[in-house]
């Protein structure tokens, strides 16, 4: 059992007299065996959070507990937590075997033979037994990454902390390692906190995602929840590639109004935004319907637009459009890869009511999201893992 919890965890740095609030009052409960990804833009406080869990930074406030017992006053070696760094931090003069056994020999009473067996088992798990007698300089980036992981695995810790472990690998290897790491974590069942700025890693690898911005936790949820039910504009814009389309509109009665188009809200959605004057309408690129038929009335759903650029992605195409009669920002729509549209073609677009998101323009808070229960396959997804038991 290893449940990790952060409550009110805060970190301020003093930089030449200036106070930097790197992590601001974060609460997180990470379940036994869970794969939690901490994600956010550069400087949002991900690494500082991880380093506080590891004991490499001292929190300025709040608690960190493992299985209910506070650990923030323990030294890193006493925490039963293994960390893998972005730089791998391997000793260049030691062989892979020595690198992997180093921490064990330092911190346990095991015999040489027992240490050796543990190293060889971990090397086997990671598919690198033939590399054990090489030095890091004679290994590829991917192999060094495996050794760094192996060094963490042999310690058989209660918690793994991984700080951007795939960021030095090329795109193809990164994609392969994502799957491998996920399988490995699930086999080992070790509670894991994984830091990345890459929203694809967060979406594809995690049981749950914790999204940070400016040191503050924005949302904690499954990838599907965070993607389809974002708590605010930041989360909505951060997750998804291409990003969600946003339009600033005024609310007049039950109609959203801009220079480019008007959008009549159905009464049940209008009631969720009542009292808010300025609204941001969000719609994901894959949710927008696009038609060659340009006969539109400029109202509900049927909005005339002009194709700017088509970016083929193979399986699908990204279409960038502009509205012909207004100042609204451009719109990106994903269409099937077999469908062909050309630059300057006139089309009409529609934002289906069941896929729109509405945010308060001032605070950014989500007022209305599409419902997760309306998303295809969600039943199958939500049965996949249950941490509540
Ligand atoms: P990145 O993805 O770029 O690694 P991050 O989300 O991991 O970023 P942190 O490294 O945790 O962000 O930094 C959070 C904030 O704290 C940043 O503003 C950073 O400049 C500041 N910071 C981090 N370490 C220190 C330090 N030792 N002294 C002063 N400020 C620091």
């Amino acid at each position: 059992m290893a449940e990790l919890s952060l409550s009110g965890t805060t970190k301020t740095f003093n930089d030449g007299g200036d106070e930097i609030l790197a992590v601001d009052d974060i609460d997180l409960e990470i379940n036994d065996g869970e794969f939690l990804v901490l994600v956010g833009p550069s400087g949002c406080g991900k690494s500082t959070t991880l380093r506080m869990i590891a004991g490499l930074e001292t929190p300025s406030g709040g608690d960190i507990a493992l299985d209910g017992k506070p650990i923030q006053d323990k030294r890193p070696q006493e925490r039963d937590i293994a960390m893998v760094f972005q730089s791998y931090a391997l000793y260049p003069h030691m062989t892979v075997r020595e690198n992997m056994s180093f921490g064990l020999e330092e911190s346990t009473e095991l015999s040489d033979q027992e240490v050796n067996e543990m190293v060889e088992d971990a090397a086997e798990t990671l598919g690198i037994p033939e590399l054990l007698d090489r030095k890091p300089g004679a290994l590829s980036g991917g192999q060094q990454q495996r050794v760094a992981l192996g060094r963490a695995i042999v310690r058989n810790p209660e918690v793994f902390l991984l700080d951007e472990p795939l960021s030095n690998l090329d795109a193809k290897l990164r994609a392969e390692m994502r799957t491998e790491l996920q399988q490995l974590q699930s086999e080992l069942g070790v509670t894991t906190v994984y830091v990345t700025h890459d929203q694809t890693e967060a979406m594809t690898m995690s049981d749950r995602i914790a999204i940070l911005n400016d040191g503050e936790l924005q949302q904690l949820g499954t990838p599907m929840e965070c993607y389809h039910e974002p708590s605010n504009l930041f989360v909505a814009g951060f997750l998804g590639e291409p990003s969600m389309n946003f339009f600033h509109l005024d609310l007049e009665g039950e109609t959203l109004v801009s220079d480019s188009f008007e959008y009549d809200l159905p009464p049940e959605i209008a009631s969720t935004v009542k009292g808010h004057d300025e609204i941001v309408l969000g719609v994901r690129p894959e949710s927008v319907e696009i038609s060659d038929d340009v006969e539109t009335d400029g109202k509900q759903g049927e909005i005339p637009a002009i194709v700017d650029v088509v970016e083929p992605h193979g399986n699908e195409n990204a279409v960038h459009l502009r509205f012909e009669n207004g100042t609204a920002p451009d719109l990106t729509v994903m269409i099937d890869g077999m469908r062909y549209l050309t630059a300057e073609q006139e089309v009409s677009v529609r934002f289906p009511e069941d896929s729109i998101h509405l945010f308060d323009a001032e605070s950014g808070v989500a007022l209305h999201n599409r419902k997760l229960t309306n998303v295809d396959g969600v039943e199958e997804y939500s049965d996949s893992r249950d941490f509540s038991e």
Side-chain angles (χ1 to χ4, degrees):
M1 272 291 282
E3 278 175 17
L4 183 65
S5 65
L6 278 66
S7 43
T9 307
T10 298
K11 178 69 187 177
T12 48
F13 289 106
N14 192 323
D15 185 25
D18 291 338
E19 197 159 87
I20 297 169
L21 183 54
V23 177
D24 187 3
D25 197 11
I26 283 186
D27 292 325
L28 275 180
E29 295 281 338
I30 303 153
N31 300 296
D32 182 35
E34 186 173 15
F35 196 134
L36 182 103
V37 174
L38 269 182
V39 69
S42 186
C44 72
K46 308 177 292 287
S47 298
T48 305
T49 305
L50 207 66
R51 290 170 61 80
M52 285 193 285
I53 300 170
L56 303 173
E57 296 285 0
T58 310
S60 315
D63 293 314
I64 301 175
L66 199 54
D67 289 333
K69 297 190 192 84
I71 56 166
Q72 70 263 20
D73 296 327
K74 288 191 173 180
R75 294 187 307 151
Q77 308 86 296
E78 297 165 349
R79 294 194 182 196
D80 208 1
I81 287 175
M83 182 152 168
V84 176
F85 296 89
Q86 180 178 0
S87 62
Y88 314 138
L90 301 176
Y91 298 109
H93 59 286
M94 291 184 185
T95 62
V96 167
R97 187 187 300 276
E98 287 162 346
N99 263 288
M100 284 170 66
S101 60
F102 184 71
L104 274 187
E105 284 162 354
E106 291 291 294
S107 64
T108 66
E109 306 285 303
L110 297 168
S111 69
D112 286 355
Q113 193 189 336
E114 283 169 318
V115 168
N116 216 19
E117 276 170 16
M118 289 166 83
V119 168
E120 285 181 4
D121 276 355
E124 198 68 50
T125 306
L126 290 160
I128 52 165
E130 73 283 4
L131 305 181
L132 281 172
D133 296 315
R134 286 206 210 158
K135 291 199 173 148
L139 302 177
S140 70
Q143 290 167 333
Q144 290 186 32
Q145 211 279 326
R146 282 186 172 79
V147 177
L149 272 176
R151 193 168 53 180
I153 291 172
V154 290
R155 290 186 46 199
N156 192 22
E158 294 268 34
V159 177
F160 281 137
L161 303 177
L162 308 174
D163 193 358
E164 306 237 14
L166 306 185
S167 59
N168 293 340
L169 307 179
D170 66 54
K172 193 159 185 294
L173 189 54
R174 205 158 58 222
E176 283 169 22
M177 286 301 290
R178 278 206 303 260
T179 318
E180 251 187 60
L181 250 178
Q182 225 180 331
Q183 282 168 348
L184 188 66
Q185 192 273 345
S186 137
E187 275 164 34
L188 298 172
V190 177
T191 309
T192 300
V193 186
Y194 182 106
V195 157
T196 181
H197 62 269
D198 179 346
Q199 54 98 21
T200 308
E201 283 181 18
M203 287 294 294
T204 54
M205 297 175 82
S206 68
D207 292 317
R208 284 188 306 163
I209 308 180
I211 300 150
L212 295 182
N213 190 33
D214 279 341
E216 289 180 16
L217 181 63
Q218 306 290 312
Q219 186 162 5
L220 174 65
T222 64
M224 294 285 268
E225 280 165 0
C226 296
Y227 188 81
H228 294 294
E229 297 183 350
S231 60
N232 59 30
L233 269 174
F234 176 81
V235 175
F238 187 78
L239 293 181
E241 178 57 43
S243 285
M244 186 183 280
N245 296 289
F246 294 120
F247 305 98
H248 282 253
L249 299 129
D250 294 323
L251 181 63
E252 295 179 3
E254 296 194 345
T255 304
L256 295 171
V257 180
S258 76
D259 291 346
S260 302
F261 64 90
E262 294 186 1
Y263 194 94
D264 287 333
L265 294 171
E268 65 280 10
I269 298 182
S271 65
T272 64
V273 294
K274 218 171 163 195
H276 299 264
D277 298 337
E278 290 177 34
I279 298 290
V280 176
L281 168 71
V283 60
R284 294 227 176 256
E286 67 273 21
S287 301
V288 180
E289 290 173 5
I290 189 164
S291 161
D292 299 354
D293 181 3
V294 291
E295 288 301 311
T296 67
D297 58 7
K299 265 206 129 191
Q300 190 59 346
E302 302 276 288
I303 308 164
I306 299 164
V307 175
D308 261 340
V309 179
V310 181
E311 280 173 15
H313 289 208
N315 60 333
E316 51 190 0
N317 296 327
V319 184
H320 300 279
L321 301 121
R322 63 181 191 272
F323 293 112
E324 59 187 4
N325 61 344
T327 54
D330 296 347
L331 169 71
T332 303
V333 182
M334 295 308 286
I335 60 169
D336 190 273
M338 300 301 281
R339 195 165 162 203
Y340 196 69
L341 294 172
T342 49
E344 297 307 318
Q345 184 175 344
E346 292 181 7
V347 294
S348 68
V349 293
R350 204 176 83 79
F351 306 151
E353 287 167 4
D354 62 0
S355 60
I356 61 167
H357 301 258
L358 301 173
F359 305 88
D360 179 74
E362 203 182 327
S363 66
V365 167
L367 304 170
H368 166 81
N369 278 320
R370 72 182 305 179
K371 288 284 160 284
L372 192 52
T373 44
N374 291 343
V375 177
D376 286 348
V378 77
E379 272 180 16
E380 194 184 317
Y381 175 83
S382 38
D383 286 342
S384 66
R385 247 183 129 160
D386 182 0
F387 290 103
S388 58
E389 290 169 359

